[in-house]
Amino acid sequence: MAELLSLGEAIERFVKNGDTVALEGFTHLIPTAAAHELIRQDKKDLTLVRMTPDLVYDLLIGAGCAKKLIFSWGGNPGVGSLHRLRDAVEKQWPQSLEIEEHSHADLANAYVAGASGLPFAVLRAYLGSDLPKVNPMIKFIDCPFTGEKLAAVPSVRPDVTVIHAQKADRKGNVLIAGILGVQKEAALAARRCIVTVEEIVDELNAPMNACVLPNWALSAVCLVPGGAHPSYAHGYYERDNRFYQAWDPIARSRESFTAWIDEFIHGTADFGAFQAKLAAQQEAQ
């Protein structure tokens, strides 16, 4: 049953060193604030799962929080590479990183299987692909009804899923609007789920067929306005394209990355303080 907590308390209580953690949100509603808090609390040895690792996982990998990455694409969307991810894979800095790469369809189906309580997902995929050569978790089975050769992958069942959403009511029910990605499936597949939201309201007033996550499926709801920045939150704020562009030179070297982390994450008490410091820097430029 969801509790209304601060983000700091939720991360402290529900994320343990060594956990498998999924931070999901596709194009928008990416839980950046939660990634910052994981770094502030120095969470270690995490297995990170995400369909499209972008800046949030570049941060966590570069900060030394991750031991393994399960993913289906990685990059700074519209800009280029994730330099901290590359440094960890190619040169083991700040530590070695195990990678397990899947296709989008594969990982999406693995989340669905996890949410359904199934041990693996089955899909029509990978014939002619080289991914099974480098990922031993991709297997092939024969359909017992047609004899067709199908791909099978383990279900994704995180210890903790973290997502961002537009609003929650005071009972802890959460409304997600706009592009859903695999947020619903990732939340239902997890043993524990933390949701950061833009606002807490008396009534969700959810339209018909909306995605509402019930409070009994969640562990904590945390009020963090702007918590998806620099991604956008449908109906609340736009994507900060300038930040994505600025991230490339920040993350390109170990020195500039470490200095940025020390100033903007370790040097701030929470995401609100980070936003204030970032806004002051942008105004000065």
Side-chain angles (χ1 to χ4, degrees):
M1 189 69 71
E3 298 180 66
L4 301 182
L5 302 173
S6 71
L7 178 57
E9 185 177 2
I11 295 295
E12 181 180 8
R13 284 178 56 181
F14 295 116
V15 182
K16 309 301 180 186
N17 290 340
D19 275 351
T20 295
V21 181
L23 276 71
E24 282 296 349
F26 186 75
T27 303
H28 76 140
L29 299 178
I30 298 171
T32 308
H36 285 204
E37 192 58 33
L38 288 167
I39 294 169
R40 282 193 193 91
Q41 295 192 21
D42 198 30
K43 299 297 182 179
K44 296 292 188 184
D45 297 323
L46 303 178
T47 294
L48 299 176
V49 189
R50 181 166 165 77
M51 280 190 63
T52 54
D54 49 22
L55 273 55
V56 287
Y57 279 11
D58 214 29
L59 280 163
L60 288 165
I61 291 166
C65 299
K67 68 176 181 181
K68 181 177 179 179
L69 177 64
I70 300 172
F71 71 110
S72 57
W73 177 87
N76 183 343
V79 180
S81 292
L82 294 176
H83 300 295
R84 295 303 91 221
L85 169 57
R86 289 191 62 167
D87 205 8
V89 173
E90 295 174 358
K91 299 179 181 178
Q92 294 77 54
W93 190 93
Q95 61 193 41
S96 62
L97 180 72
E98 182 184 351
I99 59 173
E100 183 181 309
E101 186 174 1
H102 298 259
S103 71
H104 281 338
D106 166 348
L107 205 49
N109 276 277
Y111 274 121
V112 172
S116 303
L118 297 172
F120 63 92
V122 178
L123 65 156
R124 185 179 286 113
Y126 288 126
L127 293 180
S129 170
D130 284 337
L131 260 181
K133 298 177 183 178
V134 296
N135 183 353
M137 303 309 291
I138 300 170
K139 308 288 187 181
F140 290 94
I141 62 174
D142 294 329
C143 174
F145 303 104
T146 66
E148 181 182 6
K149 191 174 186 180
L150 300 170
V153 293
S155 61
V156 172
R157 306 191 75 176
D159 294 303
V160 188
T161 286
V162 186
I163 62 174
H164 189 75
Q166 281 89 349
K167 62 177 72 173
D169 65 22
R170 302 191 190 283
K171 296 178 182 178
N173 302 298
V174 169
L175 173 66
I176 308 174
I179 299 171
L180 295 180
V182 292
Q183 286 177 292
K184 176 182 69 175
E185 292 79 8
L188 296 177
R191 293 174 175 84
R192 303 180 293 279
C193 183
I194 299 169
V195 185
T196 56
V197 295
E198 293 294 326
E199 60 177 333
I200 295 176
V201 297
D202 292 328
E203 298 290 340
L204 290 180
N205 294 319
M208 187 177 294
N209 296 324
C211 179
V212 177
L213 295 175
N215 58 9
W216 53 261
L218 310 175
S219 304
V221 170
C222 314
L223 178 62
V224 189
H229 178 272
S231 73
Y232 73 98
H234 177 75
Y236 287 77
Y237 46 88
E238 296 181 349
R239 188 179 193 266
D240 186 355
N241 292 318
R242 182 169 64 164
F243 188 91
Y244 284 90
Q245 293 168 341
W247 185 250
D248 188 79
I250 291 169
R252 190 171 286 271
S253 79
R254 298 172 184 176
E255 293 75 19
S256 59
F257 171 80
T258 301
W260 192 92
I261 288 283
D262 288 343
E263 179 178 0
F264 286 97
I265 296 185
H266 292 305
T268 56
D270 55 27
F271 200 69
F274 160 79
Q275 290 174 300
K277 179 172 279 193
L278 182 65
Q281 182 201 57
Q282 291 177 338
E283 287 179 7
Q285 290 176 343

